[in-house]
């Protein structure tokens, strides 16, 4: 029905009653899924509190160990490649326009051969992205609103929040701090941070992050074998987030595809952010094996290819040139040096809290330390450490109800800051 | 219900019957919205046909005037800024990690002052992105599946395809070449490529691109004033795509916000791709004025802020440094020179087809020429030009049923290629 004529007289009259500077709401209904979301996304909320603290104490020299933000420069072997690629765009012979949405062929091949050699993952299974967080949302678009998902509790908040935005969930239930129709798989010290799968209900999509953000715990080969079998038994798809896999220093699997049969039940998403310091450069990838099929036999990768073609236009060509340099022998060595540095930071943080008598988890295979404050509210602990030590952490409950009573301390920082933060925390809790 | 135990025995038996190399489908149902999509996204399909042609005629020296892909180098004033930013990331003092999801403050301010001076659009209304195509999908996420949208017919296929993916539409109806529950606003020579709004049904979201892709037509000030009034009367939100606005050489509005009252009914999305040759670098922006409200009075910008915080992590910092250089006086002059070059290409293409007696549209304010082949199928014309002139165009029907009988010819190309394509086309149709 043409609404224009029908509404013109009444709405003109309506507008006529108000001065032109007053905003008139449209008739478009707010997306009910957006309205379900609680407060702000966690990290901007922490940034807001940090800013408020600084304006209260302008001379306090706040140290941020909150958001897991890299602080060390990117090795020159990598930035040189990006500088050269940028320069090459000014030359007619080396200029290029649109890349393929799936990413540069050489980079896809290098990712496959560097991280998935002998695992049966090929160049064509790799989709280069502008980061794992962005790909998580594109995966949600792929799955649509009718699926039910499971997450580790606690876990990186983008899994749950993107699920809410896609309309997969019910409302937030304040009493239990959970959204309806999401399976929260509790990961606590008592179960070694691996969920008791016998208590987990059927879910279509299982988000699983190892090394885990925020707990820093890493699933063993046996545990991941169990998880893959669980997915097979239930017909679920695992979305395995391996953004921190280069921090693994024991023999825990760095990829879900190290587990036999995983190609039939798993997607893996990863990132250059925490390896190469690309948090601001933006580069990641997602692996969707051709063996992964929907219930009707349709390949999941084929639909994801359509998503990236329609909703994305590829990662920046300059970032991709940096990614390729990361995977050169010199780049891999340089990244490994940076990781070694952050791992030394991690040890300082672990030792600090341990020496004060706290139960400390994570840290071994991850740049995150998960400190227990039994019986206390995470936000209260966060506030106390900020107020008295001027150190920003992340409240565990921001990652889900299973994180209550913990704070996450990030090991990303300059050494002097880590040492100073350790000193202040020792002062606070001595 | 814990499914693991219940299913284990039967599924183990099931797996036992098959060799381990056979893929077993999961039980996850394919997203029905994905299944509604027709064939491939338009431009990858054209790339496929181009590749097939080249393998059939390896020596044919195919000229691509299909996908609107920039070909001229990026001015050095811009690439130098990107090279320097990349290099700065290797230095501890100038390294930075995560940027804000909304974009660098300086870049937001520069976009506001360069393109929206005196239009009441401020830094805070600007969201920097990795390109307009990506933002269109994020806008769809924002609106959710319950809205009804309207598009110009023909139009850039990402509007319709992202709407299908979000579940806003019905199925594709082959007889009329349209998806259900989308309002197709016909834009044809007979109505000067501006829809007859009196025949347009109520829609929540109106996608409107001017200068238009593919027709190259540009809405006048009167027409856009009419469109804004139509949106106000119906309570709709306009998503105005101004990706080609720097190609405007007459007094047509370059922004929807030149129209009084538009801030209460419109979003604008734009891009550095076609201005600065950033198709591969990836940078764009979206303007959501604080005056734009949902029916319950909730600001649209506030929900979009949540979307970019949760589903995006900002554009590459290197690309953003390039964007800032684009908006310097030297950068603006350099971009304007490149646009002048492409506009000369456009004139060559317009003159070629005009001299052959074709009805030719667009081209004046846009890098696209819209050529009429009355009574012919667009794909047949596309195939003929490719087969006989080895020139890739884009079939008009790929942009919607209103594009049938047209092909779009892109003016992005080196001068020698444009002249050669013109020569071959004159041969073909002489």
């Amino acid at each position: 029905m043409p609404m224009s004529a029908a509404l013109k007289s009444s709405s003109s009259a309506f507008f006529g009653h108000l001065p032109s500077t007053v905003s008139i709401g449209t008739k478009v209904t707010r997306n009910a899924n957006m309205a379900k979301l609680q407060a702000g996304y966690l990290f901007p909320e922490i940034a807001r509190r940090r800013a408020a603290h600084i304006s209260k104490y302008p001379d306090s020299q706040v140290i941020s160990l909150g958001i897991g933000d890299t602080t060390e420069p990117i090795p020159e072997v990598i930035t040189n490649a990006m500088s050269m690629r940028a320069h090459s765009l000014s030359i007619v012979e080396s200029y290029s326009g649109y890349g393929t949405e799936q990413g540069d062929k050489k980079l896809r091949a290098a990712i496959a051969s560097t991280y998935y050699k002998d695992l049966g993952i090929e160049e064509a299974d790799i989709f280069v992205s502008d980061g794992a967080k962005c790909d998580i949302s594109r995966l949600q678009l792929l799955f649509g609103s009718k699926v039910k998902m499971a997450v580790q509790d606690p876990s990186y908040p983008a899994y749950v929040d993107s699920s809410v935005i896609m309309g997969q969930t019910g409302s937030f239930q304040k009493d239990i701090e959970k959204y309806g129709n999401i399976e929260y798989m509790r990961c606590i010290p008592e179960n070694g941070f691996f969920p008791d799968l016998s208590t987990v209900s059927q879910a279509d999509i299982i988000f699983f992050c190892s090394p885990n953000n925020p707990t820093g715990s890493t699933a063993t080969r046996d545990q991941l074998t169990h998880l893959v079998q669980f997915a097979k038994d239930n017909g679920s798809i695992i979305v395995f987030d391996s953004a921190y896999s280069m921090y693994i220093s024991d023999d825990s699997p760095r990829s879900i595809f190290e587990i036999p049969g995983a190609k039939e039940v798993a997607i893996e998403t990863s990132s250059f952010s925490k390896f190469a310091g690309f948090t601001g450069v933006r580069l990641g990838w997602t692996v969707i094996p051709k063996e992964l099929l929907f219930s009707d036999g349709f390949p999941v990768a084929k639909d994801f290819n359509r998503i990236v073609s329609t909703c994305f236009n590829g990662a920046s060509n300059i970032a991709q040139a940096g990614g390729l340099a990361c995977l050169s022998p010199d780049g891999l060595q340089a990244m490994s040096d940076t990781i070694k540095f952050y791992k030394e930071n991690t040890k300082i943080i672990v030792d600090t809290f341990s020496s004060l008598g706290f139960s400390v988890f994570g840290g071994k295979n991850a740049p995150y330390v998960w400190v227990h404050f039994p019986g206390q509210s995470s936000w209260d602990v966060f506030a106390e450490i900020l107020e008295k030590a001027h150190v920003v952490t992340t409240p565990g409950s921001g990652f889900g109800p299973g994180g209550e009573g913990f704070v996450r301390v990030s090991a990303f920082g300059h050494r002097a800051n880590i040492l100073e933060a350790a000193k202040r925390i020792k002062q606070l809790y001595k």
Side-chain angles (χ1 to χ4, degrees), chain A:
Chain A
M1 178 190 73
M3 298 281 285
S4 177
L7 285 170
K8 194 167 274 175
S9 57
S10 65
S11 61
S12 291
F14 179 58
F15 288 121
H17 279 278
L18 288 156
S20 63
T21 50
V22 170
S23 287
I24 315 287
T26 62
K27 293 197 181 77
V28 178
T29 307
R30 184 181 179 208
N31 181 351
N33 298 318
M34 293 301 299
K36 286 178 198 163
L37 288 167
Q38 297 302 295
Y41 184 72
L42 178 62
F43 297 109
E45 174 62 19
I46 288 170
R48 200 188 58 74
R49 296 198 182 212
R50 176 179 182 274
H53 182 80
I54 290 173
S55 78
K56 187 174 164 194
Y57 301 107
D59 302 322
S60 60
Q61 303 210 288
V62 166
I63 298 172
S64 286
L65 306 179
I67 176 169
D69 193 7
T70 49
T71 56
E72 300 312 295
I74 300 173
E76 274 204 348
V77 57
I78 299 164
T79 58
N80 284 348
M82 294 196 284
S83 284
M84 282 170 59
R85 183 70 180 107
H87 178 65
S88 79
L89 295 173
S90 70
I91 299 166
V92 67
E93 290 77 15
S94 49
Y95 176 79
S96 63
Y98 288 118
T100 52
E101 291 90 346
Q102 302 81 5
D104 177 59
K105 204 174 149 66
K106 276 189 199 162
L107 179 57
R108 298 171 82 188
I111 292 169
S113 66
T114 306
Y115 295 118
Y116 303 102
K117 199 169 150 64
D118 304 326
L119 299 181
I121 299 294
E122 295 161 1
E123 176 197 320
D125 303 323
I126 311 279
F127 294 84
V128 175
S129 77
D130 59 334
K133 190 187 189 188
C134 314
D135 260 357
I136 288 163
S137 275
R138 284 188 283 265
L139 287 169
Q140 297 286 20
L141 262 182
L142 165 80
F143 296 130
S145 61
K146 306 274 192 257
V147 298
K148 180 176 176 179
M149 55 165 260
V151 290
Q152 288 156 295
D153 173 27
S155 67
Y156 178 49
Y159 310 138
V160 167
D161 285 6
S162 61
S163 177
V164 174
I165 289 171
M166 266 313 289
Q168 296 164 1
T169 75
S171 298
F172 190 72
Q173 299 159 284
K174 283 213 182 289
D175 53 335
I176 53 171
E177 297 273 319
K178 293 178 182 178
Y179 290 94
N181 202 42
I182 290 189
E183 179 68 22
Y184 289 77
M185 306 186 297
R186 206 163 175 84
C187 295
I188 50 174
E190 289 72 16
N191 59 19
F193 297 100
F194 188 82
D196 177 0
L197 295 176
S198 73
T199 67
V200 170
S201 303
Q202 163 71 10
D204 299 294
I205 311 298
I206 302 169
F207 278 89
F208 199 93
C209 179
S210 178
N212 183 266
N213 176 7
T215 68
S217 68
T218 309
T220 63
R221 194 166 304 269
D222 276 357
Q223 287 171 333
L224 290 183
T225 303
H226 189 184
L227 181 69
V228 165
Q229 189 57 50
F230 178 75
K232 289 207 169 183
D233 291 345
N234 289 276
S236 309
I237 294 175
I238 299 165
V239 178
F240 189 78
D241 184 341
S242 66
Y244 298 95
S245 65
M246 268 178 75
Y247 287 82
I248 294 176
S249 45
D250 63 16
D251 66 346
S252 305
R254 294 174 182 216
S255 164
I256 191 70
F257 300 116
E258 291 184 35
I259 309 301
K263 285 203 292 288
E264 290 164 10
V265 293
I267 287 168
E268 182 162 300
T269 186
S270 199
S271 168
F272 287 89
S273 289
K274 312 299 167 97
F275 299 175
F278 270 30
T279 42
V281 173
R282 312 303 312 139
L283 193 70
W285 72 87
T286 287
V287 184
I288 308 194
K290 61 191 83 53
E291 292 86 350
L292 184 68
L293 308 176
F294 287 117
S295 59
D296 63 357
F298 195 87
V300 175
K302 215 166 162 178
D303 269 350
F304 193 65
N305 191 59
R306 192 65 155 88
I307 291 280
V308 300
S309 299
T310 309
C311 307
F312 184 53
N313 238 329
S316 176
N317 46 17
I318 301 171
Q320 292 193 68
L324 201 54
C326 286
L327 303 180
S328 69
D330 287 351
L332 287 167
Q333 182 56 51
M335 287 201 294
S336 137
D337 292 345
T338 307
I339 286 168
K340 188 164 164 267
F341 174 86
Y342 288 132
K343 286 177 79 74
E344 289 162 4
N345 282 352
T346 313
K347 190 169 181 312
I348 295 168
I349 296 169
V350 167
D351 290 350
T352 299
F353 282 99
S354 298
S355 73
L356 294 163
F358 290 98
S359 292
V360 178
F361 304 94
K364 185 180 171 198
N365 291 322
Y368 295 128
V369 182
W370 190 238
V371 188
H372 203 180
F373 292 81
Q376 286 189 261
S377 136
S378 297
W379 277 107
D380 286 351
V381 176
F382 166 86
E384 182 177 44
I385 299 177
L386 180 57
E387 181 69 26
K388 299 188 179 159
H390 309 295
V391 173
V392 180
T393 58
T394 305
S397 60
F399 299 96
E404 185 54 287
F406 291 84
V407 296
R408 187 192 78 173
V409 186
S410 154
F412 294 112
H414 298 321
R415 183 60 47 80
N417 286 340
I418 298 290
L419 291 170
E420 172 65 18
K423 199 174 105 186
R424 293 187 197 167
I425 281 161
K426 279 186 183 161
Q427 271 310 110
L428 172 61
Y429 290 114
K430 71 179 174 203

